Amino acid sequence: MPDKSPSVKLSAVFLGLAAVGAGVLVYRWPPGAAVIAGAALAVIAARHWNQVVRHTEPLRGFVRAALPLLLPLVVVGAAGAIAFRWWAQLLIVFGLGVFAWRVIVAPEWRPALEALATRLSKPLAAPFWTLGIPILAAVTVFFVLIRPGAGPFEDRGGLVLLYATIPLWIEAVALRALGYATSWLRVAIGLLLIAVVARGAAALGIIPGGDWLDANLAWLATGNLAIALAALLLLAVVGPGAWSAAEPARAERLRPFAALGLVAAIFAALILGGAALDGAISARAHTAQRVDSGRPAGKPVPAEKVAPAAGLNGRQLAARYAPELVLAKGEQWRPIPVDSFVADAKLYNRAGRLVPHPNPLPDHCPGPKNAGCFKLVLPNCDSGEDKCAQGYAPDPAHPQGTAYFRVLREQTKHGSYAFAGNDRFTDGAARDTSILIQYWFFYRYDEWKRPILSGTLTQRHQADWEAVTIGLSDAATPVFLGYSEHCGGTWRNWNQIETAPGSPLHPLVAVALGSHANYVSSDERRSPNWASCGGGLPKGFLTLLSYASNIRDETSFGTDIPYRDLNLIRASVREPPMSFPGTWGANDSTTLVNERTQVLKQGSAPATPTYQPLWQDPLATIFCGANWSPPSGDNGGRCKTPVPTG
C-alpha cells in the first residue's frame, strides 16, 4: 500500500511548489533555483530519513565504489599547495590527507586486506594472482612503452611516471565497477561507468578508436553515456529494491576485485605523487644562475659605478647597452628584419578578404575604427618543418641578428607618456627609471614541442615578436632589465644579471628553444608562463603540474649573437614595421597529437609591437602586470592604482 499520510502529501505539495519556484527562478537567478530545490530535497530527506537511507543504498554504494578513483585528484590538489603560503600549504595538505585516509582509504582498507587474504586461501587463489596481477602489470608497462617521448630517461623524467598513472587508473575503474556489480542492475551501471571512462579516453586520444566512433557511432558520445549512467542510478534509487539489491553470494565473490581496484587507485595516486615530486626536484635541479656556463662569468659593472651617459643620443645608448642573445641548442630561427616575411606573406583585411599588398605596408585602418585591421599571413605554412617557415640553424661563423630599438626619455614630449604616474609604483627600480631602451626581436616562426602525459603538445604560430627592456636613471646608468616571455615576463635589477664576457655593459639574454621567450639564465628547464596566461589557476600550481607533465621551456648555450653583430634598426610608430595596424601570421594554436590530433586552443596572432601593452605602457606592464615576475619570484600586479593595458 502506498503511504498516504499527511506528511507525505505535504512533502509532495512542498516539492511541487519548490519545482515551480525553481523553474521560475532558473531564468532570473539560477543560484536561487538551486538553493530552493536543494532546500526542498533536504526537508523531504529529513522527514523520511529511513526511507531515504534504504532507497539510496545503490547510489551510496556507487559513490563508495567510485571514491578511490578520486585519490589521484587528491594528490594533484596537495601538489598545488606549493602555490600558496606555508601555513596554507599545511592546511591544504593536512585537510586532503585526512579526507583521503578517513573518507576513502580507512573504511575499506581492512576489509580489502581480509578479502584478498581470503582469496589467497581459496583453491582458485593461484590463478587469480598468477594471471591477474601479471596481466595488470603487463598492461601498465605496455602502455608506458608505447607512449611518445623519445630520448633519455632524464629528459622524460616524471613523464614516465605519468604514463603509468593512466593505465593504473583505468584498471582501478574497471575493478571497482566489477566489485560494485552485485546485481543485474548494478552490472549495467558498472558497464556504463567503464564505457563512460573508455569513451572519454578515446575522445581525448589516450586510447585508439575515437575517430572511428565519431564517424560511425556519433550517438555513443561521452555525454550520452553519462546521461544513461545517471538514468540507471536514478532507476536504482526509485525502482523496486529487488532490482538493485546486492546478492550476498555474488558480493562475496566480487569483493577481492573491489579490493584490487582500491590498490590500483592507491598506486596510481602514489605514482602521480612521484611525478609531482620529480617535477619539484627538477624545478630546482635545472635552475641555473648563469647564462653561459662554458665561459668565465661576466659580471655587470655596479650601477653606481657606471659612468653617466646622459649626453648620448638614442642610437648611441642602444649600442652602449645592446644585449647579447644566447640561442638554445637546435634553435632553427634567429631574429631577422621583417622584410622577407612581408615579401612572402599575403595581406588580409578585418573581414578576412585578400587585399592588394602595398609597399610599404598600410599605416592606418580604413574607416572610423583605428584598431588592428590587417593580417599578414604566410599561405599554407602550418608547420615549422615547412619550407615556407625557412627554419635554419644560425651559421656559427656569421651569427648576426636584428633588433628594432627605441629610446624613451621622461623629460621629452615624445616619451613622457611612458613615465606618467611614477608614484603608483612600489618598486624603487621603477621610480628610479627615467630612460627606457626597448629592443624588439622578430622571428619568422615560433614552434615549441614537448612529449607530455598523453601525446605530443605543440604550440606554434607564424612570426614572433619578443622584447628586452632596459631601464636607465636620468644619468643613463642602468637600473633594471626586463625579459619578455610569452604573455608576460621577468625583470631583474641590473646587479643581478650576467653580462657578456669582457663586456660588463652588455647583458646576456637566454632565448628558449622554439618559443623564443627571453630568460635570465640558460641551462634551465622551467614551466612556460603561457600555461597561466589565461588565468584560472595559481601560478605555482601550474608550474608544478607543468614540470610533472614535461611541459617545459628549455634554454641552453647553443649559439650566441654577440652584441657587436646585432643590427640595430630604429623603431618608430610612424614608420614600418611598427606603423602596421594588424597582426603577423596565422592564428596561434596549441595542439595535442596522440591517437588523434586535437586543437586545444586557438589564439590571436602576434600583434605589431605598437599594439602591445609592453610598448604602450612599458613600466606599468613590467612592474604591475600579473604575468610579470619581480626578483622575489612573486607575481606582479602591485601598482597602487589600476593601470590601463590597452
Side-chain angles (χ1 to χ4, degrees):
M1 293 288 293
D3 189 352
K4 296 183 179 180
S5 64
S7 62
V8 173
K9 294 180 180 179
L10 183 61
S11 297
V13 171
F14 185 79
L15 181 60
L17 292 175
V20 173
V24 172
L25 284 175
V26 73
Y27 294 102
R28 295 287 184 180
W29 186 43
V35 169
I36 290 179
L41 291 175
V43 169
I44 294 174
R47 296 283 295 177
H48 307 284
W49 182 248
N50 292 332
Q51 293 91 328
V52 168
V53 170
R54 184 176 70 253
H55 281 284
T56 58
E57 166 53 30
L59 181 59
R60 290 185 289 114
F62 179 82
V63 171
R64 287 195 300 270
L67 268 178
L69 306 179
L70 299 179
L71 285 173
L73 294 180
V74 172
V75 171
V76 169
I82 195 174
F84 303 96
R85 297 184 182 275
W86 67 268
W87 56 268
Q89 294 179 23
L90 291 178
L91 289 176
I92 293 172
V93 173
F94 178 77
L96 290 176
V98 170
F99 170 78
W101 174 251
R102 295 298 300 271
V103 178
I104 299 178
V105 178
E108 289 198 51
W109 185 245
R110 190 176 298 277
L113 290 178
E114 293 175 353
L116 294 177
T118 301
R119 172 60 67 179
L120 281 172
S121 65
K122 297 282 185 178
L124 294 179
F128 179 81
W129 290 104
T130 57
L131 294 179
I133 299 300
I135 288 174
L136 294 180
V139 170
T140 303
V141 172
F142 176 74
F143 196 94
V144 171
L145 293 178
I146 65 172
R147 292 292 84 195
F153 180 86
E154 188 277 334
D155 282 345
R156 300 172 74 186
L159 184 65
V160 175
L161 298 177
L162 281 174
Y163 286 168
T165 300
I166 291 178
L168 275 172
W169 188 81
I170 293 177
E171 292 159 7
V173 171
L175 288 167
R176 297 295 293 183
L178 182 59
Y180 175 76
T182 55
S183 71
W184 288 112
L185 183 57
R186 292 191 179 201
V187 168
I189 291 173
L191 290 176
L192 268 176
L193 174 62
I194 295 173
V196 167
V197 172
R199 184 64 181 94
L204 294 174
I206 296 174
I207 61 177
D211 291 331
W212 185 89
L213 287 170
D214 287 346
N216 299 281
L217 296 172
W219 57 270
L220 199 64
T222 307
N224 293 340
L225 290 172
I227 292 173
L229 175 61
L232 280 189
L233 287 171
L234 181 62
L235 182 63
V237 171
V238 302
W243 289 13
S244 56
E247 299 176 10
R250 180 179 292 181
E252 186 64 27
R253 290 195 302 270
L254 296 180
R255 188 169 298 167
F257 294 99
L260 263 184
L262 174 64
V263 172
I266 292 174
F267 270 100
L270 292 176
I271 290 175
L272 185 61
L277 180 62
D278 176 88
I281 294 173
S282 181
R284 296 191 178 275
H286 289 285
T287 301
Q289 301 300 318
R290 302 257 339 266
V291 177
D292 181 4
S293 57
R295 295 184 293 183
K299 294 294 184 181
V301 175
E304 62 274 10
K305 295 184 178 181
V306 176
L312 298 182
N313 62 33
R315 180 173 291 276
Q316 290 170 331
L317 279 178
R320 177 183 172 88
Y321 295 107
E324 183 163 318
L325 302 183
V326 178
L327 305 182
K329 296 175 183 177
E331 177 59 55
Q332 292 181 268
W333 298 279
R334 59 175 175 166
I336 60 173
V338 302
D339 305 54
S340 62
F341 184 93
V342 173
D344 296 339
K346 300 292 185 183
L347 185 65
Y348 294 85
N349 62 16
R350 186 185 285 115
R353 290 193 293 268
L354 185 67
V355 297
H357 196 326
N359 187 16
L361 291 171
D363 58 4
H364 68 281
C365 292
K369 292 184 178 180
N370 189 21
C373 54
F374 292 103
K375 179 183 291 188
L376 278 169
V377 177
L378 294 175
N380 302 316
C381 199
D382 301 324
S383 171
E385 299 176 358
D386 294 339
K387 185 178 179 180
C388 55
Q390 294 184 9
Y392 56 90
D395 182 357
H398 303 284
Q400 296 182 351
T402 295
Y404 293 88
F405 78 92
R406 70 168 182 156
V407 178
L408 300 173
R409 300 176 190 264
E410 184 177 14
Q411 66 271 27
T412 64
K413 181 180 179 180
H414 169 69
S416 59
Y417 74 90
F419 304 89
N422 267 10
D423 57 347
R424 63 188 167 181
F425 302 117
T426 58
D427 285 294
R431 295 195 302 269
D432 294 341
T433 298
S434 298
I435 303 173
L436 284 171
I437 309 174
Q438 284 194 326
Y439 304 87
W440 287 88
F441 303 99
F442 177 82
Y443 299 87
R444 185 179 178 93
Y445 213 88
D446 176 296
E447 185 170 82
W448 172 94
K449 287 185 177 182
R450 292 295 292 184
I452 64 165
L453 170 63
S454 57
T456 299
L457 188 65
T458 302
Q459 184 259 348
R460 62 164 63 95
H461 54 79
Q462 301 172 6
D464 192 19
W465 286 101
E466 298 290 348
V468 170
T469 303
I470 299 180
L472 307 177
S473 68
D474 54 4
T477 57
V479 178
F480 76 90
L481 208 69
Y483 309 77
S484 72
E485 304 162 11
H486 307 288
C487 67
T490 301
W491 71 268
R492 293 291 184 270
N493 290 303
W494 175 257
N495 295 337
Q496 296 175 306
I497 69 168
E498 184 180 348
T499 59
S503 305
L505 295 181
H506 297 279
L508 280 178
V509 176
V511 180
L513 179 65
S515 71
H516 310 132
N518 296 313
Y519 290 101
V520 181
S521 57
S522 185
D523 190 24
E524 188 171 355
R525 300 173 183 183
R526 81 280 288 163
S527 169
N529 76 345
W530 59 259
S532 58
C533 290
L537 288 175
K539 183 178 179 181
F541 180 71
L542 283 171
T543 297
L544 192 61
L545 291 185
S546 294
Y547 266 99
S549 303
N550 206 39
I551 302 176
R552 306 178 187 180
D553 233 359
E554 292 193 16
T555 51
S556 58
F557 192 84
T559 304
D560 63 338
I561 300 179
Y563 65 91
R564 299 184 187 89
D565 292 341
L566 201 60
N567 179 30
L568 296 177
I569 301 176
R570 186 181 299 275
S572 171
V573 71
R574 294 180 295 272
E575 299 174 2
M578 302 306 173
S579 59
F580 175 65
T583 56
W584 298 71
N587 290 341
D588 177 18
S589 67
T590 302
T591 58
L592 176 64
V593 178
N594 42 30
E595 298 293 341
R596 317 183 73 178
T597 299
Q598 304 166 78
V599 178
L600 304 181
K601 181 182 178 182
Q602 286 276 18
S604 300
T608 300
T610 50
Y611 285 83
Q612 297 187 28
L614 187 57
W615 178 290
Q616 297 173 344
D617 201 352
L619 280 178
T621 299
I622 292 172
F623 289 93
C624 307
N627 291 313
W628 280 76
S629 299
S632 64
D634 297 330
N635 283 352
R638 296 176 297 157
C639 286
K640 294 180 181 178
T641 56
V643 177
T645 58

